[in-house]
Amino acid sequence: MTALLIVAGLGSALVSGILLAFSLAVMPALASQPASSAAALMNRINVVIVAPLFMVLLFGTAVATVAAAVTAVLEPGIPASLVVLAAVLYVGGCVGVTVVVNVPLNNRLAARDDVWPEFLLRWTRWNHVRVLAGVASSILLLAAGVAQ
C-alpha cells in the first residue's frame, strides 16, 4: 500500500506541477500576445501536450488513486477517508475537469481562433481548479501514507 500511495501522490503532484506552470507562466505569457498569435500557439501546445508521457501521468495517476482508494477501504489500518477523498479530488478535479471542460474548450479554439478572449478566461479559471484538486489530492495521499 505504501508504494501505491507514493505512486499516486507523486503522480498527482507531477500533474499538478505541469498544470500550475500553465496557470503561472504559460497562460499569462499568451495573454500578453495578440489574440491570433496566442490562439495559434495554444493550439500547438494542445497538440504537443498529448504526448505519451503526459497521458500516462494524467490517466495512470487516476488509476493509481482509484486503486489506492479501493485498497484503503479493504485493508484495515489505512485512513480510507483520506485516500478516497484524494481519489475523488484527482479523478473529478483533474481528469474530470480536463475531459469535461478544458478539452472541449481546446477543441473549440482549434475550430475558431476568434474565441480566444473567452477561451483564455474560462480555460485558465478551470485550470486553477485542476491545480487545486491535484495539490489537495497529493497532500491527502501524503497524509494517508504518514498516518498508516
Side-chain angles (χ1 to χ4, degrees):
M1 181 62 184
T2 300
L4 195 50
L5 289 173
I6 290 170
V7 168
L10 182 59
S12 184
L14 288 170
V15 170
S16 298
I18 292 166
L19 299 174
L20 181 62
F22 274 85
S23 286
L24 294 179
V26 174
M27 300 314 283
L30 291 175
S32 71
Q33 300 300 307
S36 61
S37 299
L41 186 52
M42 187 66 185
N43 282 325
R44 185 66 194 133
I45 290 169
N46 288 334
V47 169
V48 170
I49 196 73
V50 184
L53 180 57
F54 183 68
M55 294 295 102
V56 168
L57 277 172
L58 181 66
F59 295 110
T61 298
V63 170
T65 59
V66 169
V70 169
T71 303
V73 168
L74 298 176
E75 288 187 17
I78 298 168
S81 60
L82 294 178
V83 182
V84 169
L85 182 55
V88 168
L89 283 168
Y90 184 82
V91 172
C94 283
V95 176
V97 169
T98 297
V99 171
V100 172
V101 179
N102 292 87
V103 169
L105 286 170
N106 293 344
N107 293 340
R108 185 168 175 225
L109 182 66
R112 294 185 49 215
D113 69 359
D114 64 335
V115 298
W116 175 253
E118 178 191 346
F119 171 90
L120 177 65
L121 180 65
R122 289 188 64 212
W123 194 98
T124 303
R125 283 184 181 164
W126 281 103
N127 192 62
H128 297 332
V129 170
R130 298 189 298 173
V131 170
L132 292 172
V135 169
S137 176
S138 297
I139 291 168
L140 290 168
L141 291 163
L142 176 62
V146 169
Q148 76 170 341

